Amino acid sequence: MSEEEKERIARNFIRQIIIEDLKTNKWGGRVHTRFPPEPNGYLHIGHAKSICLNFGLAEEFGGLCNLRFDDTNPTKEDEEYVNAIIEDVRWLGFDWGDRMYFASDYFDQLYEYAVRLIKMGKAYVCDLSQEEIRQTRGTLTEPGIESPYRNRSVEENLELFERMRKGEFPDFAKTLRAKIDMASPNLNMRDPVIYRIKHATHHRTGDKWCIYPMYDFTHCLSDSIERITHSICTLEFEDHRPLYDWFLDQLGVYHPQQIEFARLNLSYTVLSKRKLLELVQRGIVDGWDDPRMPTIRGLRRRGYTPESIRNFAEIIGVSKKESIVDIAVLEHCIRDDLNKRAQRAFVVLNPLKVIIDNYPDDLVEEMDAINNPEDLSMGTRKVPFSKELYIERDDFMENPPKKYYRLAPGREVRLRYAYYITCTDVVKDPQTGEIVEVHCTYDPATRGGSSPDGRKVLGTIHWVSARHCFPVEVRLYDRLFIKENPNDVEEGKTFLDYINPNSLEIKTGYAEPFLKDAKPEERFQFERIGYFCVDSKYSKPGKPVFNRTVTLKDTWSKILKSLQESNE
RNA sequence: AGGGAUGUAGCCAAGUGGUUUAAGGCAUCGGCCUUUGGAGCCGACAUUCGCAGGUUCGAAUCCUGCCAUCCCUGCCA
């Protein structure tokens, strides 16, 4: 077996099924999947997992993947969502060619299938009300009661179903039900409704129909019509599989295989359309594309790349075990990607003025800075340097603890790509005692950041020239929830009780000049701080707003923490 | 009279009776290196696979029983 073939083996149970099917030629060598969203909301990272799975499998095995909208409920669905979903799947980097379908495209065919079921004596028109259907369904432990309309003649059913279609009955007056088994331990098999009356305008078929097929009936037949081989869905549909199979078997049509996997859960966030909608409606976030939202649009605005999301989907794996993936894995994926690609820049978020006493008052030097140490092909840039600078307040301490190797009285540090400086004096506000500026001297021999005598400095810090930098709005985002699993609520609470009140902090930073021209969606690493993306909503030409995608890993904060803990 | 699933480290997840003395990733902890305390590199991290029995020369993998968790009583998908 070659390395390549080994690589193809397993990795997850769905691949295993496909590899086996290919071996046995079950589908004539074909692999054909589909991503079937209902256009009733925006896509989130959980959908991304499914998208990557379905499109990825097709790609890997030389097959195809359709985009199909499961639009059988006109009162919930909308074209706005269709367009948003198309845009999001494209942005993730997937292509469905000319195979964008709508379940509503199949309404005529589906109607014919229903008629066939009636003719076979496998479906009937039921006059029971919603409440009566519920009451006769039985419970988890008791069988249901057969509908009094269950044994209508084929002719009567045909006529009634036709009249339902024509709009002769009001909403909810009648349903078409599959005649299966009211005593089945699987509730889905207790004569499920397959058509209901809804006098509603559909976003695609308009007012052509007033009866709409249910999911179970529609989905399997849509898969069949599109000649899907592997119909991949989430675990909660496992109980529906017997019904999926039943319709296809009764009708004797092409029969794909339904395979279920566990949906994604991510720590410190929620991934249900209902809860996400609630965050939007209550104004807790700034809309579906708020950078804190786990939606595709939110992640995009936050600065996540399609590649990082696809890589995430790949490394978390696919299984049938319900689990919560640590959001640190997602954060790792974006750091890993941006580390190799993002242009570096100097931005000071909490400025402290530094004056270099022995530096000429009016001199300005252009320092050469590497744009990306991980990719030298990205070149260098010039950063202006002068007598007065800003550094990060955290990078100076009057009484530093051990292991602190940044600036402190009498200490020498390197200003990255510039000079070594030594702190000579600290100026404080006489009222508050707050440090307002720090005086230093520089060593002219260390230009560029290295010394001819080879002496070492422990710390390297970033800086901006006070005269040349410009103020920028920087939005520091953090996790939306303070609880690892916000779905796990204590008595009397809701997931909203675990919102992180500090998930957004807006600051004004001082940025080096070239950042002024940054365009929406451009991503940067602010050295020693984190990765940032130009906001696509609030930025204006010449006035970029930066969203923090994720911080850089911060070893010092860990040392600090353990230092504090050992002091306690 | 319930049915359907799942249990491998803090979190994901390979493994499908014998080179497994249980891959890989995240996290964590050491060390090296470093003009980002970033990145990179090296190392540590399950005598054990929900539990208890059994089969076998040999079991995470097969059998039996038990336990835990999740899903199912929409004319939602």
Short mmCIF file of all heavy atoms in Angstrom, two decimals, chain A residues 115-158:
data_model
loop_
_atom_site.label_atom_id
_atom_site.label_comp_id
_atom_site.label_asym_id
_atom_site.label_seq_id
_atom_site.Cartn_x
_atom_site.Cartn_y
_atom_site.Cartn_z
N VAL A 115 -48.85 11.56 -4.67
CA VAL A 115 -49.99 10.92 -5.33
C VAL A 115 -49.74 9.41 -5.48
O VAL A 115 -50.63 8.59 -5.24
CB VAL A 115 -50.26 11.58 -6.71
CG1 VAL A 115 -51.24 10.75 -7.53
CG2 VAL A 115 -50.80 13.01 -6.52
N ARG A 116 -48.50 9.08 -5.83
CA ARG A 116 -48.17 7.66 -5.98
C ARG A 116 -48.33 6.91 -4.66
O ARG A 116 -48.81 5.78 -4.62
CB ARG A 116 -46.73 7.51 -6.48
CG ARG A 116 -46.71 7.25 -7.99
CD ARG A 116 -45.32 7.34 -8.56
NE ARG A 116 -44.43 6.27 -8.13
CZ ARG A 116 -43.12 6.24 -8.43
NH1 ARG A 116 -42.59 7.23 -9.15
NH2 ARG A 116 -42.37 5.26 -8.03
N LEU A 117 -47.90 7.56 -3.60
CA LEU A 117 -48.02 6.95 -2.28
C LEU A 117 -49.50 6.71 -1.96
O LEU A 117 -49.88 5.66 -1.42
CB LEU A 117 -47.41 7.90 -1.22
CG LEU A 117 -46.25 7.44 -0.33
CD1 LEU A 117 -45.37 6.37 -0.95
CD2 LEU A 117 -45.45 8.64 0.11
N ILE A 118 -50.33 7.68 -2.30
CA ILE A 118 -51.77 7.54 -2.05
C ILE A 118 -52.31 6.35 -2.84
O ILE A 118 -53.04 5.50 -2.32
CB ILE A 118 -52.53 8.83 -2.44
CG1 ILE A 118 -52.14 9.98 -1.51
CG2 ILE A 118 -54.05 8.60 -2.39
CD1 ILE A 118 -52.66 11.35 -1.95
N LYS A 119 -51.93 6.29 -4.10
CA LYS A 119 -52.42 5.20 -4.96
C LYS A 119 -51.99 3.83 -4.45
O LYS A 119 -52.67 2.83 -4.64
CB LYS A 119 -51.91 5.40 -6.39
CG LYS A 119 -52.63 6.54 -7.11
CD LYS A 119 -52.12 6.70 -8.53
CE LYS A 119 -52.92 7.78 -9.26
NZ LYS A 119 -52.25 8.22 -10.51
N MET A 120 -50.82 3.82 -3.80
CA MET A 120 -50.33 2.55 -3.24
C MET A 120 -51.01 2.23 -1.92
O MET A 120 -50.73 1.19 -1.30
CB MET A 120 -48.82 2.63 -2.99
CG MET A 120 -47.98 2.76 -4.26
SD MET A 120 -46.30 3.30 -3.87
CE MET A 120 -45.73 1.92 -2.92
N GLY A 121 -51.86 3.15 -1.45
CA GLY A 121 -52.49 2.94 -0.16
C GLY A 121 -51.54 3.22 0.99
O GLY A 121 -51.74 2.76 2.11
N LYS A 122 -50.49 4.00 0.72
CA LYS A 122 -49.47 4.27 1.74
C LYS A 122 -49.55 5.68 2.30
O LYS A 122 -48.68 6.10 3.05
CB LYS A 122 -48.07 4.04 1.14
CG LYS A 122 -47.81 2.62 0.69
CD LYS A 122 -47.70 1.68 1.89
CE LYS A 122 -47.34 0.27 1.43
NZ LYS A 122 -47.24 -0.65 2.58
N ALA A 123 -50.57 6.41 1.87
CA ALA A 123 -50.75 7.76 2.42
C ALA A 123 -52.22 8.10 2.40
O ALA A 123 -52.96 7.58 1.55
CB ALA A 123 -49.94 8.78 1.62
N TYR A 124 -52.62 8.94 3.35
CA TYR A 124 -54.04 9.29 3.42
C TYR A 124 -54.22 10.73 3.89
O TYR A 124 -53.37 11.28 4.60
CB TYR A 124 -54.77 8.33 4.36
CG TYR A 124 -54.28 8.36 5.79
CD1 TYR A 124 -54.92 9.14 6.75
CD2 TYR A 124 -53.19 7.58 6.19
CE1 TYR A 124 -54.49 9.17 8.07
CE2 TYR A 124 -52.75 7.61 7.49
CZ TYR A 124 -53.39 8.40 8.44
OH TYR A 124 -52.95 8.42 9.74
N VAL A 125 -55.33 11.30 3.50
CA VAL A 125 -55.68 12.64 3.96
C VAL A 125 -56.36 12.51 5.31
O VAL A 125 -57.27 11.71 5.48
CB VAL A 125 -56.61 13.35 2.95
CG1 VAL A 125 -57.09 14.69 3.53
CG2 VAL A 125 -55.88 13.57 1.63
N CYS A 126 -55.85 13.29 6.26
CA CYS A 126 -56.35 13.21 7.63
C CYS A 126 -56.98 14.54 8.02
O CYS A 126 -56.42 15.59 7.78
CB CYS A 126 -55.18 12.88 8.56
SG CYS A 126 -55.68 12.70 10.28
N ASP A 127 -58.18 14.46 8.63
CA ASP A 127 -58.89 15.68 9.02
C ASP A 127 -58.64 16.08 10.47
O ASP A 127 -59.18 17.07 10.95
CB ASP A 127 -60.41 15.48 8.86
CG ASP A 127 -60.80 15.26 7.42
OD1 ASP A 127 -59.89 15.23 6.56
OD2 ASP A 127 -62.01 15.11 7.14
N LEU A 128 -57.81 15.32 11.16
CA LEU A 128 -57.54 15.61 12.56
C LEU A 128 -56.87 16.97 12.71
O LEU A 128 -56.05 17.37 11.89
CB LEU A 128 -56.61 14.53 13.14
CG LEU A 128 -57.15 13.45 14.08
CD1 LEU A 128 -58.63 13.14 13.84
CD2 LEU A 128 -56.31 12.19 13.98
N SER A 129 -57.25 17.66 13.78
CA SER A 129 -56.61 18.96 14.05
C SER A 129 -55.21 18.73 14.59
O SER A 129 -54.85 17.62 14.98
CB SER A 129 -57.44 19.73 15.08
OG SER A 129 -57.30 19.09 16.34
N GLN A 130 -54.46 19.81 14.66
CA GLN A 130 -53.11 19.74 15.20
C GLN A 130 -53.11 19.11 16.59
O GLN A 130 -52.28 18.25 16.91
CB GLN A 130 -52.57 21.18 15.29
CG GLN A 130 -51.10 21.28 14.98
CD GLN A 130 -50.70 22.69 14.61
OE1 GLN A 130 -49.53 22.94 14.54
NE2 GLN A 130 -51.62 23.61 14.37
N GLU A 131 -54.05 19.59 17.38
CA GLU A 131 -54.18 19.12 18.75
C GLU A 131 -54.54 17.63 18.80
O GLU A 131 -53.99 16.86 19.58
CB GLU A 131 -55.27 19.96 19.45
CG GLU A 131 -55.57 19.58 20.88
CD GLU A 131 -54.37 19.73 21.82
OE1 GLU A 131 -53.39 20.43 21.44
OE2 GLU A 131 -54.39 19.13 22.91
N GLU A 132 -55.45 17.24 17.91
CA GLU A 132 -55.85 15.83 17.88
C GLU A 132 -54.73 14.92 17.42
O GLU A 132 -54.56 13.80 17.93
CB GLU A 132 -57.08 15.66 16.96
CG GLU A 132 -58.35 16.25 17.56
CD GLU A 132 -59.47 16.41 16.54
OE1 GLU A 132 -59.19 16.66 15.34
OE2 GLU A 132 -60.64 16.28 16.94
N ILE A 133 -53.93 15.40 16.49
CA ILE A 133 -52.81 14.59 16.03
C ILE A 133 -51.83 14.39 17.18
O ILE A 133 -51.34 13.29 17.42
CB ILE A 133 -52.09 15.26 14.82
CG1 ILE A 133 -52.96 15.12 13.58
CG2 ILE A 133 -50.72 14.65 14.61
CD1 ILE A 133 -52.34 15.67 12.31
N ARG A 134 -51.63 15.47 17.90
CA ARG A 134 -50.72 15.39 19.03
C ARG A 134 -51.22 14.39 20.08
O ARG A 134 -50.48 13.56 20.58
CB ARG A 134 -50.60 16.77 19.67
CG ARG A 134 -49.43 16.92 20.64
CD ARG A 134 -49.32 18.35 21.15
NE ARG A 134 -50.46 18.74 21.97
CZ ARG A 134 -50.65 18.33 23.22
NH1 ARG A 134 -49.78 17.51 23.79
NH2 ARG A 134 -51.70 18.73 23.91
N GLN A 135 -52.54 14.48 20.34
CA GLN A 135 -53.10 13.61 21.38
C GLN A 135 -53.13 12.14 20.98
O GLN A 135 -53.09 11.26 21.83
CB GLN A 135 -54.51 14.07 21.74
CG GLN A 135 -54.48 15.24 22.70
CD GLN A 135 -55.84 15.90 22.87
OE1 GLN A 135 -56.79 15.56 22.17
NE2 GLN A 135 -55.93 16.84 23.79
N THR A 136 -53.22 11.87 19.70
CA THR A 136 -53.30 10.47 19.26
C THR A 136 -51.94 9.88 18.90
O THR A 136 -51.84 8.74 18.49
CB THR A 136 -54.23 10.34 18.04
OG1 THR A 136 -53.79 11.26 17.03
CG2 THR A 136 -55.67 10.65 18.42
N ARG A 137 -50.91 10.71 19.06
CA ARG A 137 -49.58 10.19 18.69
C ARG A 137 -49.05 9.22 19.72
O ARG A 137 -48.13 8.45 19.46
CB ARG A 137 -48.61 11.35 18.49
CG ARG A 137 -47.24 10.90 18.00
CD ARG A 137 -46.47 11.96 17.26
NE ARG A 137 -46.87 13.27 17.68
CZ ARG A 137 -47.14 14.28 16.85
NH1 ARG A 137 -47.05 14.11 15.55
NH2 ARG A 137 -47.50 15.44 17.32
N GLY A 138 -49.63 9.24 20.92
CA GLY A 138 -49.11 8.38 21.98
C GLY A 138 -47.94 9.06 22.66
O GLY A 138 -47.72 10.25 22.47
N THR A 139 -47.21 8.33 23.48
CA THR A 139 -46.05 8.91 24.16
C THR A 139 -44.84 8.05 23.88
O THR A 139 -44.90 7.10 23.11
CB THR A 139 -46.27 8.96 25.68
OG1 THR A 139 -46.29 7.62 26.16
CG2 THR A 139 -47.58 9.65 26.02
N LEU A 140 -43.74 8.39 24.55
CA LEU A 140 -42.52 7.62 24.35
C LEU A 140 -42.72 6.15 24.72
O LEU A 140 -42.10 5.27 24.15
CB LEU A 140 -41.39 8.21 25.21
CG LEU A 140 -40.93 9.62 24.82
CD1 LEU A 140 -39.85 10.11 25.78
CD2 LEU A 140 -40.41 9.65 23.39
N THR A 141 -43.63 5.90 25.68
CA THR A 141 -43.79 4.53 26.16
C THR A 141 -45.12 3.89 25.77
O THR A 141 -45.31 2.69 25.98
CB THR A 141 -43.64 4.46 27.69
OG1 THR A 141 -44.50 5.45 28.27
CG2 THR A 141 -42.21 4.73 28.11
N GLU A 142 -46.04 4.71 25.22
CA GLU A 142 -47.33 4.14 24.81
C GLU A 142 -47.55 4.35 23.32
O GLU A 142 -47.21 5.40 22.80
CB GLU A 142 -48.49 4.84 25.55
CG GLU A 142 -48.44 4.75 27.04
CD GLU A 142 -49.24 5.89 27.68
OE1 GLU A 142 -50.22 6.36 27.07
OE2 GLU A 142 -48.84 6.33 28.76
N PRO A 143 -48.15 3.37 22.68
CA PRO A 143 -48.39 3.50 21.25
C PRO A 143 -49.45 4.57 20.97
O PRO A 143 -50.22 4.95 21.85
CB PRO A 143 -48.90 2.12 20.83
CG PRO A 143 -49.41 1.50 22.08
CD PRO A 143 -48.60 2.08 23.19
N GLY A 144 -49.49 5.03 19.73
CA GLY A 144 -50.49 6.02 19.35
C GLY A 144 -51.80 5.35 18.96
O GLY A 144 -51.91 4.12 18.95
N ILE A 145 -52.79 6.17 18.64
CA ILE A 145 -54.09 5.67 18.20
C ILE A 145 -54.26 6.00 16.73
O ILE A 145 -53.94 7.11 16.30
CB ILE A 145 -55.22 6.35 19.02
CG1 ILE A 145 -55.05 6.02 20.51
CG2 ILE A 145 -56.60 5.95 18.50
CD1 ILE A 145 -55.76 6.99 21.42
N GLU A 146 -54.77 5.05 15.99
CA GLU A 146 -54.92 5.29 14.55
C GLU A 146 -55.98 6.35 14.27
O GLU A 146 -57.03 6.41 14.93
CB GLU A 146 -55.27 3.98 13.84
CG GLU A 146 -54.12 2.98 13.93
CD GLU A 146 -54.34 1.75 13.07
OE1 GLU A 146 -55.45 1.59 12.52
OE2 GLU A 146 -53.40 0.96 12.95
N SER A 147 -55.71 7.16 13.29
CA SER A 147 -56.65 8.20 12.90
C SER A 147 -57.92 7.58 12.31
O SER A 147 -57.84 6.59 11.58
CB SER A 147 -56.00 9.11 11.85
OG SER A 147 -56.98 9.90 11.20
N PRO A 148 -59.10 8.15 12.64
CA PRO A 148 -60.35 7.63 12.06
C PRO A 148 -60.37 7.79 10.52
O PRO A 148 -61.19 7.17 9.86
CB PRO A 148 -61.43 8.46 12.72
CG PRO A 148 -60.75 9.63 13.32
CD PRO A 148 -59.34 9.23 13.60
N TYR A 149 -59.50 8.61 10.00
CA TYR A 149 -59.47 8.85 8.54
C TYR A 149 -58.44 7.97 7.83
O TYR A 149 -58.20 8.10 6.64
CB TYR A 149 -59.17 10.32 8.27
CG TYR A 149 -60.12 11.23 9.01
CD1 TYR A 149 -59.73 11.83 10.22
CD2 TYR A 149 -61.41 11.45 8.53
CE1 TYR A 149 -60.61 12.64 10.93
CE2 TYR A 149 -62.30 12.25 9.24
CZ TYR A 149 -61.90 12.85 10.44
OH TYR A 149 -62.78 13.63 11.12
N ARG A 150 -57.84 7.11 8.62
CA ARG A 150 -56.72 6.32 8.12
C ARG A 150 -57.10 5.39 6.97
O ARG A 150 -56.26 5.08 6.12
CB ARG A 150 -56.15 5.49 9.27
CG ARG A 150 -54.76 4.93 9.00
CD ARG A 150 -54.22 4.30 10.28
NE ARG A 150 -52.78 4.17 10.25
CZ ARG A 150 -52.14 3.03 9.95
NH1 ARG A 150 -52.83 1.95 9.69
NH2 ARG A 150 -50.82 2.99 9.93
N ASN A 151 -58.34 4.94 6.98
CA ASN A 151 -58.70 3.94 5.96
C ASN A 151 -59.63 4.46 4.88
O ASN A 151 -60.45 3.73 4.32
CB ASN A 151 -59.28 2.71 6.64
CG ASN A 151 -58.22 2.04 7.51
OD1 ASN A 151 -57.12 1.76 7.03
ND2 ASN A 151 -58.54 1.82 8.77
N ARG A 152 -59.49 5.75 4.58
CA ARG A 152 -60.25 6.29 3.47
C ARG A 152 -59.82 5.59 2.19
O ARG A 152 -58.69 5.09 2.09
CB ARG A 152 -59.96 7.79 3.34
CG ARG A 152 -60.61 8.61 4.47
CD ARG A 152 -61.13 9.94 3.99
NE ARG A 152 -60.28 11.02 4.41
CZ ARG A 152 -60.72 12.15 5.03
NH1 ARG A 152 -62.01 12.35 5.27
NH2 ARG A 152 -59.89 13.07 5.36
N SER A 153 -60.72 5.59 1.21
CA SER A 153 -60.41 4.92 -0.05
C SER A 153 -59.37 5.72 -0.82
O SER A 153 -59.21 6.92 -0.60
CB SER A 153 -61.67 4.79 -0.90
OG SER A 153 -62.06 6.07 -1.36
N VAL A 154 -58.69 5.03 -1.71
CA VAL A 154 -57.68 5.69 -2.54
C VAL A 154 -58.33 6.84 -3.30
O VAL A 154 -57.79 7.94 -3.37
CB VAL A 154 -57.05 4.67 -3.52
CG1 VAL A 154 -56.23 5.39 -4.58
CG2 VAL A 154 -56.18 3.67 -2.77
N GLU A 155 -59.52 6.59 -3.84
CA GLU A 155 -60.21 7.61 -4.63
C GLU A 155 -60.50 8.85 -3.81
O GLU A 155 -60.27 9.98 -4.25
CB GLU A 155 -61.54 7.05 -5.20
CG GLU A 155 -61.37 5.97 -6.25
CD GLU A 155 -60.77 4.68 -5.69
OE1 GLU A 155 -61.03 4.32 -4.50
OE2 GLU A 155 -60.01 4.00 -6.42
N GLU A 156 -61.01 8.63 -2.61
CA GLU A 156 -61.34 9.76 -1.76
C GLU A 156 -60.08 10.55 -1.39
O GLU A 156 -60.06 11.78 -1.43
CB GLU A 156 -62.04 9.26 -0.48
CG GLU A 156 -62.64 10.40 0.33
CD GLU A 156 -63.28 9.92 1.65
OE1 GLU A 156 -63.23 8.71 1.94
OE2 GLU A 156 -63.80 10.77 2.38
N ASN A 157 -59.02 9.82 -1.07
CA ASN A 157 -57.74 10.47 -0.72
C ASN A 157 -57.21 11.30 -1.88
O ASN A 157 -56.75 12.42 -1.71
CB ASN A 157 -56.70 9.42 -0.33
CG ASN A 157 -56.92 8.93 1.11
OD1 ASN A 157 -57.25 9.71 1.99
ND2 ASN A 157 -56.76 7.63 1.32
N LEU A 158 -57.29 10.71 -3.06
CA LEU A 158 -56.82 11.40 -4.28
C LEU A 158 -57.57 12.71 -4.48
O LEU A 158 -56.98 13.76 -4.74
CB LEU A 158 -57.03 10.48 -5.49
CG LEU A 158 -55.82 9.86 -6.22
CD1 LEU A 158 -54.53 9.88 -5.43
CD2 LEU A 158 -56.16 8.49 -6.76
#
